[in-house]
Amino acid sequence: MSWLSNVSSLKQQVTAQVTQGLLSATKLLESDDDAIFKKVQETHKPQGRQVDNLDGLFSIIGKILLHDNPKSDHDEKSVVHEVPASLINKICCKLACNCTDRDAEETTMTILEKELQNYLWDEKLVIVAAAFAVNYGEFYLLTQLDTPDPVAKNMAFLKQLQFIKEIGSASQNLSGAINELIHAIMTVIKCVLQFSVLDPKYFEAEEQPSAPTEIARATYWTIYSVVTCGSYIAKLVGLRNQNTMAEMTSQLKTLASKVSSMQKVLQVKFSHRKHEIETYKWLINRFNTYQDHTILSDLFDVEGGKTALVVGHDNKKEVDINSLKGSNVWLLISGPDACHAEMKTLTKLYLKLQTKEQNRYHIVWLPIVDEFNEREFSSLQSLMPWYTVRNPKIIKPVAIRYIREVWKFTNETILVPLLPKGHSKSLTPRTLDPLWISGDLLSLFSVHDQKKSLWHQNLQITLDLLLGGIYPEDSSKPASILCLYGGEDIKWIEDFTTMINRVKNSTKISIDLVYVSKSNAIDHYNNAIFDFITAKKVGGYWKADETHSWHFWTRLESIFSWGIRDGKNAKINDTMRDVMSLLSFNGSYKGWAVFGQLGSSHKVVKATGEVVLDVLRINNWWKAGTNVDSFMLALNQQIEQHLKVQKHHCYHIVLPTTVPRVPDEMMICAICDRKMGKYLMYRCCE
């Protein structure tokens, strides 16, 4: 009778292991989902689609697990050669061997990490379901007591499976729980397969795509449920303990409920995504067949009968979109941190145009924000005399997606013209480069002509190009030299202005001085410079927060950006060389100076502060009776000679992120012609 006691002992061990596994499963179901999900994400390293005809394979699985044998479009013969049989068999073994030494959580993670890490989410689910179907199919056939196959009957006897249906309600409840979980598993897999018909680009564009996140979560729990259910089926061999069966039933029902709830969430997200994609495609078609300004209404989601637009600096004044009928409209699209100086400068140009064109042109501001900051929005809105959205939140997500994907908006401010009777080709986004260069809003409607006139002629960096529309020319006064200078070295500024006064007194030449702050300067740090200029009455100054200074540096950056887009290289293009020299002044603490004449076709004369002072101190080239033209010519010659014989420091240029990507070979030092090194710099406004 010793063998009977051994069998009894073995059954007790198996029952104890089952009970322990049930306790472990209960603990996992109550654990932190997020912690598990992080581990799952780390195992996901897909290498593209690896299993074709997933729907066909899923159909065959359904015929096994759900006994579903309707007429199908999927021919088993066409699916067979596509089945990853070796992988399915490996997972079959893992499911069958999970009845003793490892719990379901460990097995699930092993399958995800070792076997399925290179597969897509839907492939993982179908492959595991196929492995489960193989094991379940064998169990199902062996438990059919009325089977005429003697082999099946004898195998069932050896596994003592004939007792399952003899136990009564406990086995019936367990069988019902297994079927309930299988139905939940198949339903969630079917739901995940639906997502594969959606455009994957729609998810890739999102920083935190919620649907793929839920798919990953559902994948884990579905595979965990398969592993658990498979292990319970394996443990039924020789099992007669009704209490253990009841505990299994409870766990399987809990899993079925969890998986079903995830399927409902996924189904809602799928329906929502499908609707979003259909709406997005509809909006694309609307813009492709654009006719008039009424398309604006499709960009906003406004409730309660409120209007979408208000006047910027008077946001209580509502604007009906229909009032724009017959007008030329620009959509002004910017990020949440648009520069105040940029908006102030645009305001000046806009008001100038409104006066000239009798209010036939209007701007509508659409701020694209990820997180709405009411204070920042209101601060910018208060600067604007044109129309703005009531609140950035009313801009539809599909409209934002269109602006980012079709108009390629990245946070650099753009303008999109909406003509009264336009066509889709007129909806071409314009960067503001031509606007900052020309100072004329209408130039944006003839952007190609502007480009041709800027770069396809013998362009010279004259004072008119640098200051047109920024510094007013007084035609009533005799032609004078205008000197722009800068830097934050107060000692150099004192020496330079003293030297300029000496030149003016000796030659009687009129030289007007204007101090230009760096674009990123903090004005209160430069108060000593401003106080010195005021006290000594040595000209004027432009603070960093004033539009003159901002427009000056931005115009240079715009000319540079346009040159980069047009393939201009400083090594062979003098204009790009001059622009890079001027831009280098903006990134330097040391002094610099630019001399020129408004109304003159001659290039400006420029140099670093050290060079300018050295040249001006050589007093044998400027003297009484020197006129403006001869002074400028001699100054330029002296600077060029000085640079040839004296050691110098090469330039460095700080470019904003809005400048297009610059090929390294195009960044050539304007002094020594060598290729410039590139460094990444992070800088706070302070």
Side-chain angles (χ1 to χ4, degrees):
M1 298 296 290
S2 60
W3 65 275
L4 288 176
S5 61
N6 290 337
V7 170
S8 176
S9 175
L10 180 61
K11 285 185 177 181
Q12 290 175 359
Q13 290 177 23
V14 171
T15 301
Q17 289 171 350
V18 171
T19 303
Q20 183 62 37
L22 293 171
L23 292 173
S24 176
T26 302
K27 185 177 180 181
L28 178 65
L29 287 170
E30 296 172 352
S31 65
D32 181 13
D33 234 14
D34 291 334
I36 298 171
F37 176 65
K38 287 179 181 178
K39 294 180 182 178
V40 174
Q41 278 189 313
E42 291 172 0
T43 69
H44 187 56
K45 300 172 184 177
Q47 296 180 356
R49 176 73 57 192
Q50 299 189 57
V51 181
D52 294 325
N53 200 2
L54 274 182
D55 289 334
L57 182 55
F58 182 68
S59 175
I60 292 176
I61 295 168
K63 292 175 182 180
I64 298 172
L65 296 181
L66 302 176
H67 319 302
D68 184 15
N69 290 296
K71 291 183 179 180
S72 173
D73 294 333
H74 302 287
D75 183 1
E76 284 83 350
K77 292 182 180 179
S78 68
V79 177
V80 168
H81 73 282
E82 299 170 3
V83 172
S86 177
L87 177 59
I88 290 173
N89 185 61
K90 275 175 101 174
I91 296 175
C92 278
C93 294
K94 291 184 183 296
L95 296 179
C97 295
N98 186 52
C99 58
T100 54
D101 58 348
R102 289 186 300 180
D103 62 20
E105 180 185 6
E106 184 180 348
T107 303
T108 301
M109 292 305 301
T110 299
I111 291 173
L112 285 169
E113 185 174 8
K114 303 290 186 182
E115 312 298 344
L116 299 175
Q117 67 171 343
N118 299 138
Y119 290 83
L120 301 174
W121 295 116
D122 54 357
E123 292 175 330
K124 297 179 200 281
L125 287 170
V126 173
I127 289 171
V128 171
F132 175 66
V134 172
N135 287 357
Y136 175 80
E138 178 188 353
F139 168 77
Y140 176 79
L141 292 174
L142 294 181
T143 54
Q144 301 305 300
L145 299 182
D146 56 350
T147 178
D149 190 337
V151 175
K153 285 185 176 182
N154 289 326
M155 286 183 65
F157 176 77
L158 290 176
K159 292 191 175 187
Q160 296 288 285
L161 293 177
Q162 75 273 21
F163 294 111
I164 291 177
K165 292 190 176 181
E166 296 175 4
I167 294 177
S169 61
S171 66
Q172 291 177 2
N173 291 339
L174 179 58
S175 178
I178 291 173
N179 290 332
E180 183 181 342
L181 180 56
I182 287 174
H183 186 271
I185 288 169
M186 294 298 286
T187 304
V188 80
I189 295 175
K190 183 178 180 180
C191 184
V192 171
L193 287 173
Q194 291 181 107
F195 281 88
S196 63
V197 303
L198 302 180
D199 187 352
K201 293 179 182 177
Y202 198 83
F203 303 122
E204 291 169 3
E206 296 185 346
E207 292 183 1
Q208 294 180 330
S210 59
T213 298
E214 294 301 329
I215 288 174
R217 198 181 300 275
T219 298
Y220 172 82
W221 282 108
T222 301
I223 295 177
Y224 176 88
S225 298
V226 165
V227 171
T228 301
C229 190
S231 69
Y232 286 1
I233 289 174
K235 291 167 185 173
L236 288 175
V237 174
L239 181 64
R240 300 187 189 183
N241 189 310
Q242 296 191 37
N243 290 333
T244 302
M245 284 189 176
E247 291 173 358
M248 286 181 173
T249 300
S250 175
Q251 290 298 324
L252 293 179
K253 283 183 173 292
T254 300
L255 281 173
S257 176
K258 189 176 187 74
V259 172
S260 293
S261 65
M262 290 183 173
Q263 182 272 329
K264 291 175 183 176
V265 171
L266 278 176
Q267 190 61 49
V268 170
K269 289 188 177 295
F270 172 78
S271 300
H272 178 68
R273 284 307 170 86
K274 186 178 179 182
H275 173 72
E276 281 186 333
I277 293 174
E278 289 172 351
T279 305
Y280 182 55
K281 290 179 178 178
W282 174 84
L283 185 64
I284 291 175
N285 183 62
R286 280 281 285 142
F287 275 106
N288 288 341
T289 57
Y290 162 73
Q291 293 181 341
D292 56 40
H293 69 281
T294 56
I295 199 171
L296 279 175
S297 301
D298 300 324
L299 305 181
F300 308 123
D301 187 7
V302 184
E303 298 178 354
K306 293 183 178 180
T307 60
L309 304 180
V310 296
V311 176
H313 55 56
D314 184 9
N315 57 22
K316 293 183 179 179
K317 187 176 181 180
E318 298 181 340
V319 179
D320 188 344
I321 289 177
N322 290 324
S323 67
L324 299 175
K325 186 176 182 180
S327 300
N328 294 285
V329 177
W330 282 294
L331 298 183
L332 174 65
I333 303 171
S334 75
D337 54 353
C339 176
H340 281 222
E342 179 181 47
M343 292 304 158
K344 289 178 182 178
T345 305
L346 184 58
T347 294
K348 288 183 179 180
L349 300 178
Y350 175 73
L351 294 176
K352 179 181 176 181
L353 178 67
Q354 290 293 71
T355 301
K356 181 180 177 181
E357 297 291 337
Q358 299 180 346
N359 297 324
R360 291 192 301 112
Y361 291 85
H362 296 284
I363 290 177
V364 175
W365 180 43
L366 304 182
I368 306 302
V369 301
D370 295 320
E371 294 183 7
F372 175 54
N373 185 309
E374 186 172 0
R375 184 179 61 82
E376 291 180 359
F377 170 72
S378 298
S379 177
L380 274 172
Q381 187 185 44
S382 65
L383 302 174
M384 301 176 179
W386 49 76
Y387 304 145
T388 77
V389 291
R390 179 186 298 278
N391 187 306
K393 293 179 180 179
I394 70 170
I395 303 175
K396 293 179 179 178
V398 291
I400 294 175
R401 184 175 288 273
Y402 183 91
I403 290 169
R404 291 193 185 279
E405 294 185 1
V406 179
W407 289 343
K408 307 300 181 185
F409 173 75
T410 58
N411 276 343
E412 178 186 1
T413 303
I414 60 174
L415 280 168
V416 181
L418 301 180
L419 302 179
K421 293 183 179 180
H423 48 79
S424 59
K425 291 183 179 179
S426 68
L427 295 172
T428 303
R430 317 281 206 244
T431 67
L432 301 192
D433 288 341
L435 175 61
W436 305 137
I437 295 169
S438 68
D440 182 9
L441 266 169
L442 289 180
S443 66
L444 295 181
F445 279 107
S446 55
V447 63
H448 299 297
D449 294 337
Q450 175 69 21
K451 181 176 181 179
K452 183 175 181 181
S453 64
L454 182 66
W455 282 110
H456 293 268
Q457 62 177 342
N458 187 22
L459 182 67
Q460 301 286 338
I461 300 298
T462 64
L463 208 57
D464 284 357
L465 178 61
L466 296 180
L467 298 183
I470 301 176
Y471 187 88
E473 181 181 4
D474 190 349
S475 57
S476 63
K477 291 184 178 181
S480 62
I481 295 173
L482 178 60
C483 174
L484 307 176
Y485 69 103
E488 296 174 339
D489 183 348
I490 186 67
K491 179 64 170 62
W492 176 85
I493 291 173
E494 291 173 354
D495 293 343
F496 174 70
T497 53
T498 300
M499 199 69 230
I500 289 294
N501 282 333
R502 188 180 302 171
V503 172
K504 289 168 64 176
N505 293 333
S506 298
T507 63
K508 306 304 179 184
I509 294 174
S510 176
I511 302 177
D512 297 330
L513 293 173
V514 176
Y515 175 84
V516 181
S517 299
K518 291 167 58 176
S519 61
N520 68 317
I522 306 300
D523 284 333
H524 66 262
Y525 290 171
N526 288 338
N527 281 339
I529 296 173
F530 303 147
D531 292 343
F532 169 80
I533 292 172
T534 302
K536 297 297 183 179
K537 297 180 181 179
V538 286
Y541 54 81
W542 295 342
K543 291 185 176 182
D545 64 356
E546 293 178 352
T547 57
H548 292 80
S549 178
W550 179 88
H551 197 170
F552 173 76
W553 293 117
T554 301
R555 177 170 291 178
L556 283 171
E557 291 169 0
S558 297
I559 295 173
F560 177 80
S561 298
W562 219 334
I564 291 297
R565 293 189 185 101
D566 207 41
K568 303 302 179 183
N569 192 320
K571 196 165 187 175
I572 58 176
N573 187 279
D574 289 340
T575 299
M576 283 296 284
R577 184 186 296 265
D578 291 339
V579 171
M580 290 175 67
S581 295
L582 292 168
L583 282 174
S584 71
F585 298 157
N586 191 32
S588 175
Y589 166 82
K590 297 181 179 180
W592 56 269
V594 175
F595 297 83
Q597 284 180 275
L598 290 171
S600 171
S601 60
H602 294 297
K603 288 172 57 174
V604 296
V605 178
K606 64 194 179 308
T608 61
E610 181 183 4
V611 171
V612 169
L613 268 183
D614 287 346
V615 166
L616 290 177
R617 284 169 177 159
I618 303 173
N619 59 10
N620 60 350
W621 66 271
W622 54 266
K623 53 188 176 181
T626 301
N627 60 32
V628 170
D629 291 337
S630 61
F631 177 84
M632 291 292 292
L633 180 62
L635 176 62
N636 190 49
Q637 291 174 345
Q638 291 292 326
I639 289 174
E640 289 181 353
Q641 291 174 10
H642 189 85
L643 292 175
K644 289 179 182 178
V645 299
Q646 184 168 329
K647 291 183 179 180
H648 62 276
H649 297 288
C650 290
Y651 296 145
H652 74 273
I653 300 175
V654 178
L655 298 175
T657 55
T658 53
V659 169
R661 182 184 177 277
V662 184
D664 292 344
E665 63 272 13
M666 295 182 70
M667 294 302 293
I668 305 298
C669 179
I671 296 178
C672 67
D673 281 341
R674 287 184 295 185
K675 183 178 175 181
M676 300 179 74
K678 181 169 65 175
Y679 301 87
L680 182 64
M681 181 174 70
Y682 294 93
R683 181 171 61 192
C684 170
C685 61
E686 296 291 332

